[in-house]
PDB file of all heavy atoms in Angstrom:
ATOM      1  N   ARG A 468       3.081 -11.410   2.265  1.00 97.00           N
ATOM      2  CA  ARG A 468       3.792 -11.848   3.458  1.00 97.00           C
ATOM      3  C   ARG A 468       4.789 -12.973   3.119  1.00 97.00           C
ATOM      4  O   ARG A 468       5.912 -12.945   3.584  1.00 97.00           O
ATOM      5  CB  ARG A 468       2.798 -12.354   4.524  1.00 97.00           C
ATOM      6  CG  ARG A 468       3.460 -12.691   5.829  1.00 97.00           C
ATOM      7  CD  ARG A 468       2.605 -13.132   6.960  1.00 97.00           C
ATOM      8  NE  ARG A 468       1.374 -13.777   6.781  1.00 97.00           N
ATOM      9  CZ  ARG A 468       1.079 -14.993   6.175  1.00 97.00           C
ATOM     10  NH1 ARG A 468       1.978 -15.636   5.623  1.00 97.00           N
ATOM     11  NH2 ARG A 468      -0.072 -15.499   6.119  1.00 97.00           N
ATOM     12  N   LYS A 469       4.357 -13.919   2.255  1.00 96.00           N
ATOM     13  CA  LYS A 469       5.257 -15.014   1.867  1.00 96.00           C
ATOM     14  C   LYS A 469       6.492 -14.476   1.163  1.00 96.00           C
ATOM     15  O   LYS A 469       7.618 -14.949   1.404  1.00 96.00           O
ATOM     16  CB  LYS A 469       4.546 -15.990   0.973  1.00 96.00           C
ATOM     17  CG  LYS A 469       3.518 -16.844   1.707  1.00 96.00           C
ATOM     18  CD  LYS A 469       2.824 -17.809   0.782  1.00 96.00           C
ATOM     19  CE  LYS A 469       1.784 -18.633   1.497  1.00 96.00           C
ATOM     20  NZ  LYS A 469       1.093 -19.535   0.624  1.00 96.00           N
ATOM     21  N   LEU A 470       6.291 -13.525   0.257  1.00 97.00           N
ATOM     22  CA  LEU A 470       7.415 -13.010  -0.507  1.00 97.00           C
ATOM     23  C   LEU A 470       8.289 -12.067   0.326  1.00 97.00           C
ATOM     24  O   LEU A 470       9.508 -11.971   0.107  1.00 97.00           O
ATOM     25  CB  LEU A 470       6.928 -12.304  -1.762  1.00 97.00           C
ATOM     26  CG  LEU A 470       6.192 -13.208  -2.778  1.00 97.00           C
ATOM     27  CD1 LEU A 470       5.922 -12.470  -4.084  1.00 97.00           C
ATOM     28  CD2 LEU A 470       6.946 -14.516  -3.054  1.00 97.00           C
ATOM     29  N   CYS A 471       7.696 -11.453   1.340  1.00 97.00           N
ATOM     30  CA  CYS A 471       8.517 -10.675   2.282  1.00 97.00           C
ATOM     31  C   CYS A 471       9.333 -11.624   3.159  1.00 97.00           C
ATOM     32  O   CYS A 471      10.529 -11.358   3.386  1.00 97.00           O
ATOM     33  CB  CYS A 471       7.606  -9.810   3.169  1.00 97.00           C
ATOM     34  SG  CYS A 471       6.898  -8.360   2.353  1.00 97.00           S
ATOM     35  N   ASP A 472       8.769 -12.720   3.559  1.00 95.00           N
ATOM     36  CA  ASP A 472       9.489 -13.727   4.336  1.00 95.00           C
ATOM     37  C   ASP A 472      10.648 -14.329   3.556  1.00 95.00           C
ATOM     38  O   ASP A 472      11.652 -14.727   4.157  1.00 95.00           O
ATOM     39  CB  ASP A 472       8.540 -14.853   4.812  1.00 95.00           C
ATOM     40  CG  ASP A 472       7.564 -14.425   5.882  1.00 95.00           C
ATOM     41  OD1 ASP A 472       7.738 -13.314   6.460  1.00 95.00           O
ATOM     42  OD2 ASP A 472       6.593 -15.190   6.132  1.00 95.00           O
ATOM     43  N   ARG A 473      10.540 -14.391   2.272  1.00 94.00           N
ATOM     44  CA  ARG A 473      11.630 -14.918   1.426  1.00 94.00           C
ATOM     45  C   ARG A 473      12.689 -13.866   1.164  1.00 94.00           C
ATOM     46  O   ARG A 473      13.706 -14.175   0.538  1.00 94.00           O
ATOM     47  CB  ARG A 473      11.079 -15.395   0.075  1.00 94.00           C
ATOM     48  CG  ARG A 473      10.191 -16.602   0.181  1.00 94.00           C
ATOM     49  CD  ARG A 473       9.793 -17.069  -1.189  1.00 94.00           C
ATOM     50  NE  ARG A 473       8.625 -17.929  -1.113  1.00 94.00           N
ATOM     51  CZ  ARG A 473       7.877 -18.234  -2.174  1.00 94.00           C
ATOM     52  NH1 ARG A 473       8.179 -17.795  -3.370  1.00 94.00           N
ATOM     53  NH2 ARG A 473       6.833 -18.976  -2.038  1.00 94.00           N
ATOM     54  N   GLY A 474      12.469 -12.642   1.586  1.00 95.00           N
ATOM     55  CA  GLY A 474      13.476 -11.593   1.419  1.00 95.00           C
ATOM     56  C   GLY A 474      13.494 -10.940   0.061  1.00 95.00           C
ATOM     57  O   GLY A 474      14.462 -10.323  -0.313  1.00 95.00           O
ATOM     58  N   ILE A 475      12.347 -11.025  -0.653  1.00 96.00           N
ATOM     59  CA  ILE A 475      12.283 -10.388  -1.975  1.00 96.00           C
ATOM     60  C   ILE A 475      11.675  -8.963  -1.850  1.00 96.00           C
ATOM     61  O   ILE A 475      12.155  -8.061  -2.545  1.00 96.00           O
ATOM     62  CB  ILE A 475      11.436 -11.257  -2.927  1.00 96.00           C
ATOM     63  CG1 ILE A 475      12.079 -12.640  -3.079  1.00 96.00           C
ATOM     64  CG2 ILE A 475      11.327 -10.600  -4.309  1.00 96.00           C
ATOM     65  CD1 ILE A 475      11.205 -13.683  -3.772  1.00 96.00           C
ATOM     66  N   PHE A 476      10.666  -8.836  -0.981  1.00 98.00           N
ATOM     67  CA  PHE A 476      10.008  -7.559  -0.819  1.00 98.00           C
ATOM     68  C   PHE A 476       9.956  -7.230   0.685  1.00 98.00           C
ATOM     69  O   PHE A 476      10.234  -8.073   1.548  1.00 98.00           O
ATOM     70  CB  PHE A 476       8.562  -7.598  -1.357  1.00 98.00           C
ATOM     71  CG  PHE A 476       8.530  -7.846  -2.853  1.00 98.00           C
ATOM     72  CD1 PHE A 476       8.115  -9.060  -3.352  1.00 98.00           C
ATOM     73  CD2 PHE A 476       8.913  -6.839  -3.722  1.00 98.00           C
ATOM     74  CE1 PHE A 476       8.107  -9.302  -4.719  1.00 98.00           C
ATOM     75  CE2 PHE A 476       8.915  -7.077  -5.094  1.00 98.00           C
ATOM     76  CZ  PHE A 476       8.480  -8.293  -5.598  1.00 98.00           C
ATOM     77  N   GLN A 477       9.591  -5.979   0.953  1.00 98.00           N
ATOM     78  CA  GLN A 477       9.352  -5.537   2.329  1.00 98.00           C
ATOM     79  C   GLN A 477       8.129  -4.697   2.365  1.00 98.00           C
ATOM     80  O   GLN A 477       7.762  -4.023   1.400  1.00 98.00           O
ATOM     81  CB  GLN A 477      10.547  -4.777   2.896  1.00 98.00           C
ATOM     82  CG  GLN A 477      10.931  -3.540   2.074  1.00 98.00           C
ATOM     83  CD  GLN A 477      12.221  -2.913   2.523  1.00 98.00           C
ATOM     84  OE1 GLN A 477      12.813  -3.347   3.510  1.00 98.00           O
ATOM     85  NE2 GLN A 477      12.674  -1.912   1.812  1.00 98.00           N
ATOM     86  N   ASN A 478       7.440  -4.708   3.508  1.00 98.00           N
ATOM     87  CA  ASN A 478       6.229  -3.907   3.701  1.00 98.00           C
ATOM     88  C   ASN A 478       6.459  -3.122   4.985  1.00 98.00           C
ATOM     89  O   ASN A 478       6.335  -3.662   6.086  1.00 98.00           O
ATOM     90  CB  ASN A 478       5.004  -4.795   3.832  1.00 98.00           C
ATOM     91  CG  ASN A 478       3.736  -4.012   3.926  1.00 98.00           C
ATOM     92  OD1 ASN A 478       3.729  -2.769   3.910  1.00 98.00           O
ATOM     93  ND2 ASN A 478       2.612  -4.693   4.036  1.00 98.00           N
ATOM     94  N   GLN A 479       6.852  -1.877   4.838  1.00 97.00           N
ATOM     95  CA  GLN A 479       7.147  -1.039   5.980  1.00 97.00           C
ATOM     96  C   GLN A 479       6.148   0.105   6.107  1.00 97.00           C
ATOM     97  O   GLN A 479       6.037   0.931   5.170  1.00 97.00           O
ATOM     98  CB  GLN A 479       8.570  -0.462   5.908  1.00 97.00           C
ATOM     99  CG  GLN A 479       9.628  -1.555   5.946  1.00 97.00           C
ATOM    100  CD  GLN A 479      11.044  -0.956   5.922  1.00 97.00           C
ATOM    101  OE1 GLN A 479      11.272   0.096   5.339  1.00 97.00           O
ATOM    102  NE2 GLN A 479      11.939  -1.668   6.537  1.00 97.00           N
ATOM    103  N   LYS A 480       5.399   0.069   7.186  1.00 96.00           N
ATOM    104  CA  LYS A 480       4.370   1.083   7.463  1.00 96.00           C
ATOM    105  C   LYS A 480       3.405   1.232   6.293  1.00 96.00           C
ATOM    106  O   LYS A 480       3.048   2.351   5.903  1.00 96.00           O
ATOM    107  CB  LYS A 480       5.045   2.415   7.800  1.00 96.00           C
ATOM    108  CG  LYS A 480       5.880   2.377   9.059  1.00 96.00           C
ATOM    109  CD  LYS A 480       6.475   3.717   9.381  1.00 96.00           C
ATOM    110  CE  LYS A 480       7.322   3.564  10.624  1.00 96.00           C
ATOM    111  NZ  LYS A 480       7.957   4.829  11.026  1.00 96.00           N
ATOM    112  N   GLY A 481       3.007   0.093   5.698  1.00 96.00           N
ATOM    113  CA  GLY A 481       2.051   0.107   4.629  1.00 96.00           C
ATOM    114  C   GLY A 481       2.587   0.468   3.250  1.00 96.00           C
ATOM    115  O   GLY A 481       1.808   0.660   2.326  1.00 96.00           O
ATOM    116  N   VAL A 482       3.891   0.545   3.113  1.00 98.00           N
ATOM    117  CA  VAL A 482       4.506   0.860   1.841  1.00 98.00           C
ATOM    118  C   VAL A 482       5.348  -0.359   1.421  1.00 98.00           C
ATOM    119  O   VAL A 482       6.258  -0.758   2.148  1.00 98.00           O
ATOM    120  CB  VAL A 482       5.384   2.139   1.869  1.00 98.00           C
ATOM    121  CG1 VAL A 482       6.055   2.376   0.525  1.00 98.00           C
ATOM    122  CG2 VAL A 482       4.533   3.348   2.262  1.00 98.00           C
ATOM    123  N   VAL A 483       5.026  -0.894   0.263  1.00 98.00           N
ATOM    124  CA  VAL A 483       5.693  -2.078  -0.243  1.00 98.00           C
ATOM    125  C   VAL A 483       6.785  -1.683  -1.226  1.00 98.00           C
ATOM    126  O   VAL A 483       6.548  -0.867  -2.113  1.00 98.00           O
ATOM    127  CB  VAL A 483       4.695  -3.041  -0.939  1.00 98.00           C
ATOM    128  CG1 VAL A 483       5.354  -4.271  -1.472  1.00 98.00           C
ATOM    129  CG2 VAL A 483       3.539  -3.403   0.039  1.00 98.00           C
ATOM    130  N   SER A 484       7.956  -2.257  -1.062  1.00 98.00           N
ATOM    131  CA  SER A 484       9.074  -2.044  -1.987  1.00 98.00           C
ATOM    132  C   SER A 484       9.910  -3.299  -2.028  1.00 98.00           C
ATOM    133  O   SER A 484       9.751  -4.215  -1.223  1.00 98.00           O
ATOM    134  CB  SER A 484       9.901  -0.845  -1.534  1.00 98.00           C
ATOM    135  OG  SER A 484      10.463  -1.061  -0.269  1.00 98.00           O
ATOM    136  N   SER A 485      10.781  -3.319  -3.002  1.00 97.00           N
ATOM    137  CA  SER A 485      11.615  -4.522  -3.192  1.00 97.00           C
ATOM    138  C   SER A 485      12.878  -4.427  -2.360  1.00 97.00           C
ATOM    139  O   SER A 485      13.424  -3.378  -2.122  1.00 97.00           O
ATOM    140  CB  SER A 485      11.980  -4.708  -4.654  1.00 97.00           C
ATOM    141  OG  SER A 485      12.738  -3.641  -5.148  1.00 97.00           O
ATOM    142  N   ILE A 486      13.311  -5.613  -1.906  1.00 97.00           N
ATOM    143  CA  ILE A 486      14.619  -5.782  -1.327  1.00 97.00           C
ATOM    144  C   ILE A 486      15.584  -6.135  -2.457  1.00 97.00           C
ATOM    145  O   ILE A 486      16.702  -5.684  -2.550  1.00 97.00           O
ATOM    146  CB  ILE A 486      14.606  -6.857  -0.214  1.00 97.00           C
ATOM    147  CG1 ILE A 486      13.729  -6.349   0.974  1.00 97.00           C
ATOM    148  CG2 ILE A 486      16.032  -7.175   0.250  1.00 97.00           C
ATOM    149  CD1 ILE A 486      13.526  -7.380   2.056  1.00 97.00           C
ATOM    150  N   LEU A 487      15.068  -7.014  -3.336  1.00 96.00           N
ATOM    151  CA  LEU A 487      15.810  -7.396  -4.557  1.00 96.00           C
ATOM    152  C   LEU A 487      15.115  -6.773  -5.751  1.00 96.00           C
ATOM    153  O   LEU A 487      13.909  -6.897  -5.900  1.00 96.00           O
ATOM    154  CB  LEU A 487      15.777  -8.927  -4.731  1.00 96.00           C
ATOM    155  CG  LEU A 487      16.503  -9.763  -3.679  1.00 96.00           C
ATOM    156  CD1 LEU A 487      16.260 -11.246  -3.960  1.00 96.00           C
ATOM    157  CD2 LEU A 487      17.986  -9.476  -3.690  1.00 96.00           C
ATOM    158  N   THR A 488      15.873  -6.124  -6.614  1.00 97.00           N
ATOM    159  CA  THR A 488      15.275  -5.629  -7.849  1.00 97.00           C
ATOM    160  C   THR A 488      14.938  -6.821  -8.743  1.00 97.00           C
ATOM    161  O   THR A 488      15.417  -7.932  -8.507  1.00 97.00           O
ATOM    162  CB  THR A 488      16.261  -4.727  -8.612  1.00 97.00           C
ATOM    163  OG1 THR A 488      17.381  -5.535  -9.041  1.00 97.00           O
ATOM    164  CG2 THR A 488      16.712  -3.546  -7.787  1.00 97.00           C
ATOM    165  N   LYS A 489      14.165  -6.580  -9.750  1.00 96.00           N
ATOM    166  CA  LYS A 489      13.816  -7.654 -10.672  1.00 96.00           C
ATOM    167  C   LYS A 489      15.065  -8.234 -11.298  1.00 96.00           C
ATOM    168  O   LYS A 489      15.218  -9.481 -11.407  1.00 96.00           O
ATOM    169  CB  LYS A 489      12.884  -7.108 -11.773  1.00 96.00           C
ATOM    170  CG  LYS A 489      12.353  -8.147 -12.721  1.00 96.00           C
ATOM    171  CD  LYS A 489      11.320  -7.488 -13.651  1.00 96.00           C
ATOM    172  CE  LYS A 489      10.636  -8.545 -14.539  1.00 96.00           C
ATOM    173  NZ  LYS A 489       9.595  -7.985 -15.369  1.00 96.00           N
ATOM    174  N   GLN A 490      16.008  -7.401 -11.681  1.00 96.00           N
ATOM    175  CA  GLN A 490      17.251  -7.864 -12.277  1.00 96.00           C
ATOM    176  C   GLN A 490      18.082  -8.690 -11.310  1.00 96.00           C
ATOM    177  O   GLN A 490      18.640  -9.714 -11.648  1.00 96.00           O
ATOM    178  CB  GLN A 490      18.060  -6.667 -12.822  1.00 96.00           C
ATOM    179  CG  GLN A 490      17.467  -5.987 -14.001  1.00 96.00           C
ATOM    180  CD  GLN A 490      16.277  -5.061 -13.643  1.00 96.00           C
ATOM    181  OE1 GLN A 490      16.033  -4.709 -12.497  1.00 96.00           O
ATOM    182  NE2 GLN A 490      15.519  -4.678 -14.664  1.00 96.00           N
ATOM    183  N   GLU A 491      18.174  -8.211 -10.060  1.00 95.00           N
ATOM    184  CA  GLU A 491      18.899  -8.982  -9.051  1.00 95.00           C
ATOM    185  C   GLU A 491      18.250 -10.365  -8.816  1.00 95.00           C
ATOM    186  O   GLU A 491      18.957 -11.369  -8.689  1.00 95.00           O
ATOM    187  CB  GLU A 491      18.940  -8.202  -7.720  1.00 95.00           C
ATOM    188  CG  GLU A 491      19.817  -6.994  -7.741  1.00 95.00           C
ATOM    189  CD  GLU A 491      19.646  -6.095  -6.530  1.00 95.00           C
ATOM    190  OE1 GLU A 491      18.579  -6.101  -5.904  1.00 95.00           O
ATOM    191  OE2 GLU A 491      20.614  -5.362  -6.206  1.00 95.00           O
ATOM    192  N   PHE A 492      16.938 -10.385  -8.736  1.00 95.00           N
ATOM    193  CA  PHE A 492      16.221 -11.629  -8.494  1.00 95.00           C
ATOM    194  C   PHE A 492      16.525 -12.637  -9.620  1.00 95.00           C
ATOM    195  O   PHE A 492      16.896 -13.756  -9.370  1.00 95.00           O
ATOM    196  CB  PHE A 492      14.714 -11.372  -8.390  1.00 95.00           C
ATOM    197  CG  PHE A 492      13.930 -12.669  -8.287  1.00 95.00           C
ATOM    198  CD1 PHE A 492      13.827 -13.316  -7.065  1.00 95.00           C
ATOM    199  CD2 PHE A 492      13.347 -13.252  -9.394  1.00 95.00           C
ATOM    200  CE1 PHE A 492      13.121 -14.532  -6.953  1.00 95.00           C
ATOM    201  CE2 PHE A 492      12.658 -14.425  -9.321  1.00 95.00           C
ATOM    202  CZ  PHE A 492      12.540 -15.069  -8.072  1.00 95.00           C
ATOM    203  N   TYR A 493      16.376 -12.185 -10.868  1.00 92.00           N
ATOM    204  CA  TYR A 493      16.594 -13.089 -11.988  1.00 92.00           C
ATOM    205  C   TYR A 493      18.055 -13.439 -12.173  1.00 92.00           C
ATOM    206  O   TYR A 493      18.376 -14.521 -12.683  1.00 92.00           O
ATOM    207  CB  TYR A 493      15.912 -12.557 -13.247  1.00 92.00           C
ATOM    208  CG  TYR A 493      14.415 -12.779 -13.148  1.00 92.00           C
ATOM    209  CD1 TYR A 493      13.552 -11.735 -12.945  1.00 92.00           C
ATOM    210  CD2 TYR A 493      13.868 -14.066 -13.197  1.00 92.00           C
ATOM    211  CE1 TYR A 493      12.179 -11.938 -12.794  1.00 92.00           C
ATOM    212  CE2 TYR A 493      12.523 -14.256 -13.071  1.00 92.00           C
ATOM    213  CZ  TYR A 493      11.672 -13.192 -12.882  1.00 92.00           C
ATOM    214  OH  TYR A 493      10.318 -13.416 -12.734  1.00 92.00           O
ATOM    215  N   ALA A 494      18.983 -12.568 -11.753  1.00 92.00           N
ATOM    216  CA  ALA A 494      20.397 -12.892 -11.797  1.00 92.00           C
ATOM    217  C   ALA A 494      20.706 -14.045 -10.840  1.00 92.00           C
ATOM    218  O   ALA A 494      21.452 -14.978 -11.177  1.00 92.00           O
ATOM    219  CB  ALA A 494      21.260 -11.675 -11.434  1.00 92.00           C
ATOM    220  N   ILE A 495      20.035 -14.030  -9.671  1.00 91.00           N
ATOM    221  CA  ILE A 495      20.205 -15.120  -8.715  1.00 91.00           C
ATOM    222  C   ILE A 495      19.640 -16.416  -9.315  1.00 91.00           C
ATOM    223  O   ILE A 495      20.229 -17.486  -9.171  1.00 91.00           O
ATOM    224  CB  ILE A 495      19.506 -14.783  -7.360  1.00 91.00           C
ATOM    225  CG1 ILE A 495      20.286 -13.647  -6.668  1.00 91.00           C
ATOM    226  CG2 ILE A 495      19.426 -15.999  -6.454  1.00 91.00           C
ATOM    227  CD1 ILE A 495      19.551 -13.037  -5.515  1.00 91.00           C
ATOM    228  N   GLN A 496      18.514 -16.317 -10.012  1.00 89.00           N
ATOM    229  CA  GLN A 496      17.934 -17.491 -10.659  1.00 89.00           C
ATOM    230  C   GLN A 496      18.894 -18.048 -11.712  1.00 89.00           C
ATOM    231  O   GLN A 496      19.096 -19.245 -11.843  1.00 89.00           O
ATOM    232  CB  GLN A 496      16.597 -17.152 -11.333  1.00 89.00           C
ATOM    233  CG  GLN A 496      15.520 -16.693 -10.373  1.00 89.00           C
ATOM    234  CD  GLN A 496      15.266 -17.624  -9.263  1.00 89.00           C
ATOM    235  OE1 GLN A 496      14.879 -18.746  -9.472  1.00 89.00           O
ATOM    236  NE2 GLN A 496      15.512 -17.191  -8.046  1.00 89.00           N
ATOM    237  N   GLY A 497      19.522 -17.135 -12.461  1.00 89.00           N
ATOM    238  CA  GLY A 497      20.454 -17.520 -13.475  1.00 89.00           C
ATOM    239  C   GLY A 497      21.691 -18.242 -12.884  1.00 89.00           C
ATOM    240  O   GLY A 497      22.183 -19.237 -13.425  1.00 89.00           O
ATOM    241  N   ASP A 498      22.156 -17.738 -11.725  1.00 90.00           N
ATOM    242  CA  ASP A 498      23.246 -18.410 -11.033  1.00 90.00           C
ATOM    243  C   ASP A 498      22.912 -19.841 -10.718  1.00 90.00           C
ATOM    244  O   ASP A 498      23.732 -20.745 -10.908  1.00 90.00           O
ATOM    245  CB  ASP A 498      23.581 -17.668  -9.712  1.00 90.00           C
ATOM    246  CG  ASP A 498      24.207 -16.302  -9.945  1.00 90.00           C
ATOM    247  OD1 ASP A 498      24.624 -15.991 -11.057  1.00 90.00           O
ATOM    248  OD2 ASP A 498      24.247 -15.518  -8.942  1.00 90.00           O
ATOM    249  N   GLY A 499      21.678 -20.069 -10.247  1.00 88.00           N
ATOM    250  CA  GLY A 499      21.252 -21.424  -9.929  1.00 88.00           C
ATOM    251  C   GLY A 499      21.196 -22.344 -11.125  1.00 88.00           C
ATOM    252  O   GLY A 499      21.598 -23.480 -11.070  1.00 88.00           O
ATOM    253  N   ILE A 500      20.718 -21.787 -12.241  1.00 89.00           N
ATOM    254  CA  ILE A 500      20.632 -22.556 -13.471  1.00 89.00           C
ATOM    255  C   ILE A 500      22.059 -22.971 -13.953  1.00 89.00           C
ATOM    256  O   ILE A 500      22.303 -24.106 -14.299  1.00 89.00           O
ATOM    257  CB  ILE A 500      19.890 -21.787 -14.575  1.00 89.00           C
ATOM    258  CG1 ILE A 500      18.405 -21.694 -14.204  1.00 89.00           C
ATOM    259  CG2 ILE A 500      20.064 -22.433 -15.944  1.00 89.00           C
ATOM    260  CD1 ILE A 500      17.623 -20.711 -15.039  1.00 89.00           C
ATOM    261  N   ILE A 501      22.926 -21.985 -13.935  1.00 92.00           N
ATOM    262  CA  ILE A 501      24.303 -22.272 -14.375  1.00 92.00           C
ATOM    263  C   ILE A 501      24.981 -23.276 -13.464  1.00 92.00           C
ATOM    264  O   ILE A 501      25.649 -24.202 -13.907  1.00 92.00           O
ATOM    265  CB  ILE A 501      25.110 -20.955 -14.485  1.00 92.00           C
ATOM    266  CG1 ILE A 501      24.556 -20.107 -15.652  1.00 92.00           C
ATOM    267  CG2 ILE A 501      26.595 -21.235 -14.666  1.00 92.00           C
ATOM    268  CD1 ILE A 501      25.078 -18.707 -15.699  1.00 92.00           C
ATOM    269  N   GLU A 502      24.761 -23.114 -12.140  1.00 91.00           N
ATOM    270  CA  GLU A 502      25.382 -24.012 -11.177  1.00 91.00           C
ATOM    271  C   GLU A 502      24.858 -25.429 -11.321  1.00 91.00           C
ATOM    272  O   GLU A 502      25.626 -26.384 -11.381  1.00 91.00           O
ATOM    273  CB  GLU A 502      25.115 -23.488  -9.744  1.00 91.00           C
ATOM    274  CG  GLU A 502      25.938 -24.148  -8.695  1.00 91.00           C
ATOM    275  CD  GLU A 502      27.441 -23.977  -8.902  1.00 91.00           C
ATOM    276  OE1 GLU A 502      27.900 -22.880  -9.247  1.00 91.00           O
ATOM    277  OE2 GLU A 502      28.155 -24.984  -8.702  1.00 91.00           O
ATOM    278  N   LYS A 503      23.525 -25.567 -11.408  1.00 91.00           N
ATOM    279  CA  LYS A 503      22.917 -26.911 -11.487  1.00 91.00           C
ATOM    280  C   LYS A 503      23.035 -27.551 -12.848  1.00 91.00           C
ATOM    281  O   LYS A 503      23.365 -28.735 -12.972  1.00 91.00           O
ATOM    282  CB  LYS A 503      21.445 -26.845 -11.094  1.00 91.00           C
ATOM    283  CG  LYS A 503      21.226 -26.556  -9.609  1.00 91.00           C
ATOM    284  CD  LYS A 503      19.735 -26.454  -9.280  1.00 91.00           C
ATOM    285  CE  LYS A 503      19.538 -26.022  -7.854  1.00 91.00           C
ATOM    286  NZ  LYS A 503      18.127 -25.753  -7.564  1.00 91.00           N
ATOM    287  N   GLY A 504      22.761 -26.782 -13.897  1.00 92.00           N
ATOM    288  CA  GLY A 504      22.716 -27.370 -15.198  1.00 92.00           C
ATOM    289  C   GLY A 504      24.027 -27.418 -15.958  1.00 92.00           C
ATOM    290  O   GLY A 504      24.151 -28.198 -16.910  1.00 92.00           O
ATOM    291  N   PHE A 505      24.992 -26.566 -15.559  1.00 93.00           N
ATOM    292  CA  PHE A 505      26.195 -26.478 -16.322  1.00 93.00           C
ATOM    293  C   PHE A 505      27.445 -26.542 -15.422  1.00 93.00           C
ATOM    294  O   PHE A 505      28.514 -26.051 -15.781  1.00 93.00           O
ATOM    295  CB  PHE A 505      26.196 -25.193 -17.136  1.00 93.00           C
ATOM    296  CG  PHE A 505      25.057 -25.096 -18.107  1.00 93.00           C
ATOM    297  CD1 PHE A 505      23.858 -24.508 -17.765  1.00 93.00           C
ATOM    298  CD2 PHE A 505      25.187 -25.659 -19.381  1.00 93.00           C
ATOM    299  CE1 PHE A 505      22.806 -24.455 -18.655  1.00 93.00           C
ATOM    300  CE2 PHE A 505      24.108 -25.655 -20.269  1.00 93.00           C
ATOM    301  CZ  PHE A 505      22.934 -25.029 -19.909  1.00 93.00           C
ATOM    302  N   GLU A 506      27.265 -27.184 -14.284  1.00 93.00           N
ATOM    303  CA  GLU A 506      28.360 -27.350 -13.288  1.00 93.00           C
ATOM    304  C   GLU A 506      29.113 -26.056 -13.008  1.00 93.00           C
ATOM    305  O   GLU A 506      30.324 -26.070 -12.815  1.00 93.00           O
ATOM    306  CB  GLU A 506      29.279 -28.466 -13.796  1.00 93.00           C
ATOM    307  CG  GLU A 506      28.566 -29.828 -13.926  1.00 93.00           C
ATOM    308  CD  GLU A 506      29.474 -30.906 -14.510  1.00 93.00           C
ATOM    309  OE1 GLU A 506      30.643 -30.639 -14.829  1.00 93.00           O
ATOM    310  OE2 GLU A 506      28.952 -32.031 -14.621  1.00 93.00           O
ATOM    311  N   GLY A 507      28.372 -24.944 -12.971  1.00 91.00           N
ATOM    312  CA  GLY A 507      28.957 -23.684 -12.628  1.00 91.00           C
ATOM    313  C   GLY A 507      29.730 -23.016 -13.784  1.00 91.00           C
ATOM    314  O   GLY A 507      30.373 -21.998 -13.559  1.00 91.00           O
ATOM    315  N   SER A 508      29.664 -23.578 -14.956  1.00 93.00           N
ATOM    316  CA  SER A 508      30.468 -23.055 -16.070  1.00 93.00           C
ATOM    317  C   SER A 508      29.635 -22.095 -16.955  1.00 93.00           C
ATOM    318  O   SER A 508      28.752 -22.485 -17.648  1.00 93.00           O
ATOM    319  CB  SER A 508      30.954 -24.206 -16.979  1.00 93.00           C
ATOM    320  OG  SER A 508      31.524 -23.694 -18.135  1.00 93.00           O
ATOM    321  N   LEU A 509      29.974 -20.812 -16.854  1.00 89.00           N
ATOM    322  CA  LEU A 509      29.310 -19.812 -17.680  1.00 89.00           C
ATOM    323  C   LEU A 509      29.615 -20.068 -19.179  1.00 89.00           C
ATOM    324  O   LEU A 509      28.703 -19.977 -20.003  1.00 89.00           O
ATOM    325  CB  LEU A 509      29.728 -18.416 -17.258  1.00 89.00           C
ATOM    326  CG  LEU A 509      29.093 -17.251 -18.054  1.00 89.00           C
ATOM    327  CD1 LEU A 509      27.580 -17.300 -17.987  1.00 89.00           C
ATOM    328  CD2 LEU A 509      29.631 -15.929 -17.551  1.00 89.00           C
ATOM    329  N   PRO A 510      30.857 -20.398 -19.565  1.00 91.00           N
ATOM    330  CA  PRO A 510      31.095 -20.697 -20.976  1.00 91.00           C
ATOM    331  C   PRO A 510      30.240 -21.870 -21.499  1.00 91.00           C
ATOM    332  O   PRO A 510      29.744 -21.818 -22.593  1.00 91.00           O
ATOM    333  CB  PRO A 510      32.594 -21.055 -21.041  1.00 91.00           C
ATOM    334  CG  PRO A 510      33.172 -20.277 -19.906  1.00 91.00           C
ATOM    335  CD  PRO A 510      32.119 -20.339 -18.808  1.00 91.00           C
ATOM    336  N   ALA A 511      30.020 -22.912 -20.681  1.00 92.00           N
ATOM    337  CA  ALA A 511      29.184 -24.017 -21.083  1.00 92.00           C
ATOM    338  C   ALA A 511      27.760 -23.581 -21.282  1.00 92.00           C
ATOM    339  O   ALA A 511      27.072 -23.971 -22.229  1.00 92.00           O
ATOM    340  CB  ALA A 511      29.263 -25.169 -20.092  1.00 92.00           C
TER     341      ALA A 511
END
């Protein structure tokens, strides 16, 4: 329920599936790391 509330997964009629794929999820995490740790600079 917590992860569905965060928009990562969905549970529809007892079938669980992802809203974000694993790659999409970790790409978003990477964006945050680059933004926070490297001032948004991919080359850095």
Side-chain angles (χ1 to χ4, degrees):
R468 185 178 29 60
K469 287 179 183 180
L470 298 187
C471 287
D472 289 347
R473 291 185 200 165
I475 301 170
F476 298 107
Q477 60 188 353
N478 185 1
Q479 295 183 330
K480 297 182 181 179
V482 177
V483 179
S484 61
S485 62
I486 294 173
L487 295 174
T488 66
K489 186 175 186 175
Q490 291 78 14
E491 289 169 333
F492 175 80
Y493 285 107
I495 291 167
Q496 299 305 299
D498 291 345
I500 290 168
I501 292 169
E502 192 61 41
K503 289 178 186 173
F505 299 92
E506 298 176 359
S508 171
L509 181 59

